[in-house]
Amino acid sequence: MTTLDHMHPRTKTTFGATRLAGAGLLVLLGGFAIVGPAIIPADPAAQDFGASLAPIGSGYLLGADHYGRSLLARLAHGARLSFGMALLTVLAAAVPGVVLGLLAAWRGGWAEKGLELLATVVLALPGLMLVLLLLAFSPGNYGPLFLGLALTLWVEFYRVTKATTKTVLAQPYIEAARMLGFGSRYILTHYVMPVITPMIATLSAFAMATAIISVSTLSAISVGLQPPTPELGSMIIELLPYFAEAPVHVLLPAVLIFLLVLGLQLLAQGERA
């Protein structure tokens, strides 16, 4: 029986609506990120100084930046970049985190102690510091950025997986299954994975939101992806000096980041419930 089974019907409806709202928002933004770059004819890097800071609707649906580049095209490519980087980061963090968590819970002993020591060492380093250390070897590139973020996020997947798996394996029905001759693979797929999968889904949503914010923050302080790459954080910083002249232009990438994170948070809240 799940947690929702014990809740008032109105509470379950609220959590369901929250998850549905988050999923709907992400579908819309995902469609914009995936389809937008293909159907928007403008080149996000093409400059037209005659259209510098063009307002919304004046030949550009969402205006143009200080170099005359289409903001609509740059926002679409920026959303695709944020989604792609976040998804890649979460996959690179979740897969080893879950596998190592299962290994530690199943084997215990020195395997668990060694993995706990590794996780403690990673947690001793501030997350962004680890990313900055990797970026120092190849500034502005995608590889060190997503790898550094994955190295800071895998610990959460590892610890949640390990703790939950150990709890499940301690249950009497697991011992009964072993006595009846069921192997490790059967126990893992039929008893462990159904319990940890919803938790991993929730963690993944939170981790994607963290990755989006981190990539934007690092680009905003000029140590992440570099211009002219259409990245949402760097777009805000590039346009910030022109806030008095074109405040909406500065707010557009900020609003897109907010909506991306909001959709993930709403989805995660519904899953966690």
Side-chain angles (χ1 to χ4, degrees):
M1 184 174 290
T2 65
T3 303
L4 281 178
D5 292 328
H6 299 284
M7 293 182 178
H8 190 278
R10 184 176 298 176
T11 305
K12 292 192 284 186
T13 301
T14 300
F15 285 128
T18 299
R19 184 167 55 184
L20 185 61
L25 183 57
L26 289 176
V27 167
L28 291 175
L29 294 172
F32 177 64
I34 295 170
V35 180
I39 64 174
I40 297 171
D43 183 347
Q47 300 181 5
D48 179 9
F49 288 99
S52 178
L53 297 179
I56 293 175
S58 59
Y60 293 89
L61 186 60
L62 292 181
D65 67 5
H66 53 301
Y67 289 117
R69 298 174 295 195
S70 168
L71 278 177
L72 179 62
R74 289 183 67 77
L75 287 171
H77 283 80
R80 183 172 66 176
L81 177 62
S82 293
F83 257 124
M85 288 288 291
L87 183 60
L88 188 61
T89 298
V90 169
L91 286 175
V95 172
V98 171
V99 171
L100 293 176
L102 290 171
L103 176 64
W106 205 275
R107 290 299 184 104
W110 287 107
E112 182 180 0
K113 291 179 180 178
L115 289 169
E116 275 298 311
L117 177 61
L118 177 61
T120 302
V121 170
V122 172
L123 288 178
L125 280 173
L128 289 181
M129 180 63 70
L130 183 58
V131 178
L132 291 174
L133 287 174
L134 290 173
L135 281 173
F137 294 98
S138 184
N141 288 330
Y142 297 90
L145 182 56
F146 102 84
L147 180 60
L149 290 171
L151 286 174
T152 64
L153 293 172
W154 75 271
V155 177
E156 290 297 324
F157 289 95
Y158 160 75
R159 289 197 161 172
V160 168
T161 301
K162 188 196 77 168
T164 306
T165 302
K166 290 188 75 170
T167 301
V168 173
L169 293 178
Q171 300 302 312
Y173 57 80
I174 298 296
E175 184 63 28
R178 285 172 172 160
M179 293 178 64
L180 289 171
F182 292 107
S184 300
R185 182 176 179 181
Y186 181 90
I187 292 173
L188 179 66
T189 55
H190 288 79
Y191 294 111
V192 177
M193 293 307 296
V195 175
I196 68 172
T197 298
M199 298 181 181
I200 299 305
T202 300
L203 271 181
S204 297
F206 280 124
M208 284 188 69
T210 300
I212 289 172
I213 294 173
S214 298
V215 170
S216 299
T217 301
L218 290 168
S219 298
I221 61 176
S222 302
V223 294
L225 301 177
Q226 302 297 310
T229 303
E231 199 285 318
L232 300 176
S234 62
M235 288 172 62
I236 296 173
I237 297 303
E238 284 185 292
L239 287 164
L240 198 56
Y242 308 97
F243 181 78
E245 303 165 62
V248 176
H249 293 39
V250 182
L251 292 175
L252 284 174
V255 169
L256 187 51
I257 294 173
F258 167 75
L259 292 176
L260 285 169
V261 174
L262 176 63
L264 289 165
Q265 293 286 345
L266 290 174
L267 185 63
Q269 291 291 342
E271 290 286 352
R272 185 169 63 180

